Amino acid sequence: MCNSGKQHARDFATYALGQIIFGLTGVWLTWRAPELPGEWSAIILSLAAAVGWLAIGFVFMEYWQPRIAIAAFGILIIAAAMTARSSP
């Protein structure tokens, strides 16, 4: 089962669009609820999404760019968790 070059490009574009939509949803949600990055449930859910995306990237994609983008996302989630102010 060999995908054509067009299929690879389509897969990569779909994957990238999913990342953009997820990122925009995160920005919108954080703008609407600024206390959310300090919530452990949101942090765990975001890290689970990063691990899932990384697994998809390693299993189904041969490109290295999505793996780097997801690794950066995971690092940003950890940084946000470490710098988030806990609510009193």
Side-chain angles (χ1 to χ4, degrees):
M1 183 166 105
C2 181
N3 285 337
S4 67
K6 285 184 178 181
Q7 183 65 36
H8 283 298
R10 197 175 10 236
D11 291 344
F12 186 69
T14 303
Y15 187 83
L17 181 62
Q19 286 182 325
I20 291 170
I21 291 172
F22 184 77
L24 288 174
T25 303
V27 168
W28 176 79
L29 192 58
T30 303
W31 177 60
R32 299 282 294 183
E35 69 280 353
L36 190 64
E39 298 283 332
W40 282 106
S41 59
I43 293 167
I44 291 170
L45 182 63
S46 297
L47 286 175
V51 169
W53 258 342
L54 198 56
I56 289 170
F58 274 104
V59 173
F60 296 109
M61 299 190 79
E62 57 193 39
Y63 307 108
W64 56 272
Q65 293 92 341
R67 298 174 190 162
I68 291 174
I70 289 302
F73 173 75
I75 291 169
L76 288 172
I77 291 296
I78 292 169
M82 294 175 66
T83 59
R85 291 180 232 159
S86 59
S87 56

